[in-house]
Amino acid sequence: MEIFMILVFLLGYIFIATEHGVKINKSATALFICGILWLLCLLSAAQFVPTVQAEAFGRFLQENPDLLNESLYKQCLSFVVDVQILGYAGEAAETILFLMGAMTIVELIDTHDGFNFITQRITTKNKIKLLWIISILTFFMSALLDNMTTAIVMVMLLRKLVGNYKERWLFASVIIIAANSGGVWSPIGDVTTIMLWVKGNISSLATIKGLFLPSLVSCLIPTFLAARLLKGILRAPSKAKEHKDAIPVFSQKESLSILILGVLVLLMVPVLKSFCHFPPFLGIITGLGVMWIYTDILYKRKKNIAEVSKRKVSQIIRNIDMSTILFFLGILMAVSALSSVGILQKFSSFLDSSIHNVYVINLLIGGLSAIVDNVPLVASAIGMYSIPSAADLAAATDLTYMQAFLQDGTFWQFLAYCAGVGGSMLIIGSAAGVVVMGLEKISFGWYLKNISLMAFTGYIAGALVYIFI
């Protein structure tokens, strides 16, 4: 049964990686393999639960004495349904709720023109100077927003400034790299970092301190290499007819207040987590509640605005990319199914015995994240390894290696870096890359030929900085 489950997961992985070729949405594939894998878990419950989950299964039977007279299969079935599926679903829900809240806050800022205060202040016509401004701005913006949203905002800005589409491809490629690098050093900047943070593998301050410099290096080096390809003054894009579907309903001052409030509530999430142990998903939905109340009060004061023109949270929440949310749900639960039967634990044991080096393991994961989605890679790593207890450390034959898996240990921090930055090496390796590829129609071959080596150079340079520090 284990081999069959692995084949199902790998086949689904192939369909996810080749989504644009097979024309099947990766969210549909993730949900399908999630259901199939858990069905296989239920069918084989009596085979793996008494051995793989022996300790937890024993506690479950003690807490539910009414099951003692039932058959082993029914006992195991109840354990899988009531403990494993519900437990893993709860863990996945923490990440899902956080993402939904964060995406809604960002959408609320965007629909009320909050980001215009940033983009309108870039007026330079010097190509090299503009590239550096966009790169640094993207790097820091993606630490607060998700890297995909940052990439969209910056590409929209590019269209107003850069007329030549080939030059715009170069600028857009740097945006991909900067967005992925910037999302790594912040606990709320990239979905894979969010996953590690929500699970407690990394903490806010330690992540910022440990990953800021490597991430900055991985952004600056490709920007420097790309800048050498640019010369002269920008040729402005041809003036196109502007179509305004909606008249702004808020003043510039009110839009700015929404931007400031949105940034503050996003920043408060890691602060509350660090000092009050407030769960991140509760922090983000509380922040969304604050934003919702504030914007409703603003709309209440504007009596002359038609209801159809209002962009309240209850309306813009429909614009949230539910397909992406469902993909995360499906892939997290699919990986949990592999963990529940012990497959991931066996794979981690293989890596420990054959490689036994956290840097090499993570560099390999980073290389894979350029080819396949980094979400299942990080989810698999979380399933393969756990934070060791005091008893685990006491029994460890290699204490230094085991300590790398403690909270904020080398393995988890370097995993966040490699999975996030490694996705820049191919345009299909990250959400930011895929969305920019769609917006600017950048070809896979052009990116591979002109950008991949730059991204790889930055990836390795940042990794060496982390290792030597």
Side-chain angles (χ1 to χ4, degrees):
M1 189 65 75
E2 287 184 6
I3 294 175
F4 189 51
M5 290 180 70
I6 293 171
L7 289 174
V8 169
F9 186 77
L10 290 178
L11 185 61
Y13 222 134
I14 292 170
F15 272 83
I16 289 171
T18 58
E19 174 189 19
H20 296 284
V22 297
K23 305 300 181 186
I24 296 177
N25 191 287
K26 66 180 181 181
S27 302
T29 304
L31 293 173
F32 179 72
I33 63 173
C34 163
I36 295 297
L37 289 175
W38 276 110
L39 177 61
L40 294 173
C41 285
L42 292 172
L43 294 175
S44 60
Q47 299 174 28
F48 75 87
V49 169
T51 53
V52 178
Q53 306 291 341
E55 187 177 340
F57 182 52
R59 289 197 303 269
F60 175 71
L61 291 179
Q62 289 177 358
E63 295 167 1
N64 297 273
D66 54 310
L67 289 172
L68 293 175
N69 296 325
E70 300 290 347
S71 65
L72 177 64
Y73 177 71
K74 188 167 182 181
Q75 291 174 348
C76 295
L77 203 63
S78 297
F79 174 79
V80 173
V81 172
D82 297 336
V83 176
Q84 291 193 302
I85 293 180
L86 290 181
Y88 284 125
E91 291 178 4
E94 286 187 304
T95 302
I96 298 302
L97 288 171
F98 183 92
L99 288 172
M100 290 181 67
M103 291 167 74
T104 306
I105 290 172
V106 171
E107 184 72 19
L108 188 64
I109 296 171
D110 190 35
T111 55
H112 290 91
D113 302 322
F115 294 123
N116 285 353
F117 288 90
I118 299 171
T119 59
Q120 288 174 353
R121 281 155 180 75
I122 301 176
T123 56
T124 182
K125 296 296 181 182
N126 184 289
K127 294 178 184 178
I128 296 176
K129 186 177 178 180
L130 178 64
L131 183 70
W132 279 104
I133 290 173
I134 286 177
S135 176
I136 298 300
L137 183 58
T138 303
F139 179 81
F140 285 101
M141 278 182 64
S142 64
L144 293 177
L145 315 176
D146 66 279
N147 49 12
M148 183 173 68
T149 302
T150 301
I152 293 171
V153 171
M154 297 309 294
V155 167
M156 293 301 115
L157 166 67
L158 271 186
R159 291 181 174 178
K160 300 175 184 177
L161 299 174
V162 183
N164 184 291
Y165 81 94
K166 278 292 178 71
E167 285 185 345
R168 200 161 64 237
W169 281 9
L170 184 65
F171 279 87
S173 299
V174 170
I175 286 173
I176 294 170
I177 294 170
N180 288 334
S181 296
V184 162
W185 61 274
S186 163
I188 58 173
D190 182 88
V191 66
T192 52
T193 315
I194 290 170
M195 289 164 60
L196 290 164
W197 181 54
V198 169
K199 289 285 290 182
N201 301 87
I202 57 176
S203 63
S204 305
L205 291 177
T207 301
I208 294 171
K209 287 167 60 178
L211 294 182
F212 175 76
L213 187 56
S215 301
L216 184 62
V217 169
S218 71
C219 172
L220 294 181
I221 288 181
T223 304
F224 171 76
L225 295 173
R228 298 178 66 186
L229 303 176
L230 294 172
K231 291 180 182 179
I233 303 299
L234 283 171
R235 180 170 61 84
S238 56
K239 295 282 183 183
K241 222 180 225 184
E242 294 185 2
H243 299 282
K244 294 187 179 179
D245 298 324
I247 299 172
V249 294
F250 285 166
S251 66
Q252 287 192 357
K253 185 178 178 181
E254 290 168 329
S255 295
L256 179 60
S257 70
I258 292 175
L259 171 64
I260 294 172
L261 182 61
V263 171
L264 286 176
V265 298
L266 287 171
L267 289 174
M268 282 305 297
V269 175
V271 172
L272 290 172
K273 172 73 164 58
S274 299
F275 294 100
C276 305
H277 302 286
F278 201 53
F281 79 95
L282 280 178
I284 205 73
I285 61 177
T286 303
L288 176 59
V290 171
M291 296 284 291
W292 199 331
I293 291 170
Y294 179 70
T295 50
D296 274 3
I297 290 173
L298 290 181
Y299 277 115
K300 187 179 179 181
R301 292 163 52 189
K302 296 183 179 293
K303 306 290 186 183
N304 58 337
I305 300 176
E307 197 65 30
V308 70
S309 300
K310 294 179 180 179
R311 289 164 281 183
K312 294 183 176 180
V313 173
S314 55
Q315 295 166 315
I316 68 165
I317 201 168
R318 301 168 193 165
N319 300 331
I320 298 303
D321 187 1
M322 284 306 298
S323 174
T324 300
I325 295 294
L326 290 174
F327 169 71
F328 292 141
L329 175 62
I331 206 68
L332 290 173
M333 288 300 291
V335 170
S336 297
L338 297 181
S339 179
S340 70
V341 300
I343 292 173
L344 296 183
Q345 290 77 0
K346 290 179 181 178
F347 187 58
S348 68
S349 297
F350 167 76
L351 290 175
D352 289 344
S353 60
S354 60
I355 299 177
H356 201 68
N357 185 302
V358 292
Y359 297 113
V360 175
I361 292 171
N362 279 321
L363 285 170
L364 290 174
I365 290 174
L368 282 173
S369 71
I371 304 169
V372 295
D373 199 286
N374 55 10
V375 171
L377 285 174
V378 173
S380 299
I382 293 172
M384 285 191 294
Y385 299 98
S386 57
I387 299 175
S389 63
D392 294 329
L393 293 173
T397 55
D398 187 343
L399 183 60
T400 303
Y401 182 75
M402 184 64 75
Q403 286 174 333
F405 297 92
L406 291 169
Q407 185 188 46
D408 294 318
T410 303
F411 178 81
W412 302 116
Q413 282 194 355
F414 201 44
L415 173 64
Y417 171 85
C418 291
V421 178
S424 301
M425 290 187 285
L426 293 177
I427 198 168
I428 61 170
S430 66
V434 171
V435 74
V436 172
M437 183 183 188
L439 288 171
E440 287 297 314
K441 302 297 183 289
I442 301 174
S443 69
F444 177 89
W446 182 90
Y447 190 95
L448 179 65
K449 179 182 177 182
N450 296 280
I451 305 299
S452 291
L453 184 58
M454 296 181 193
F456 174 75
T457 304
Y459 170 65
I460 294 299
L464 290 174
V465 168
Y466 181 82
I467 292 169
F468 286 120
I469 286 179

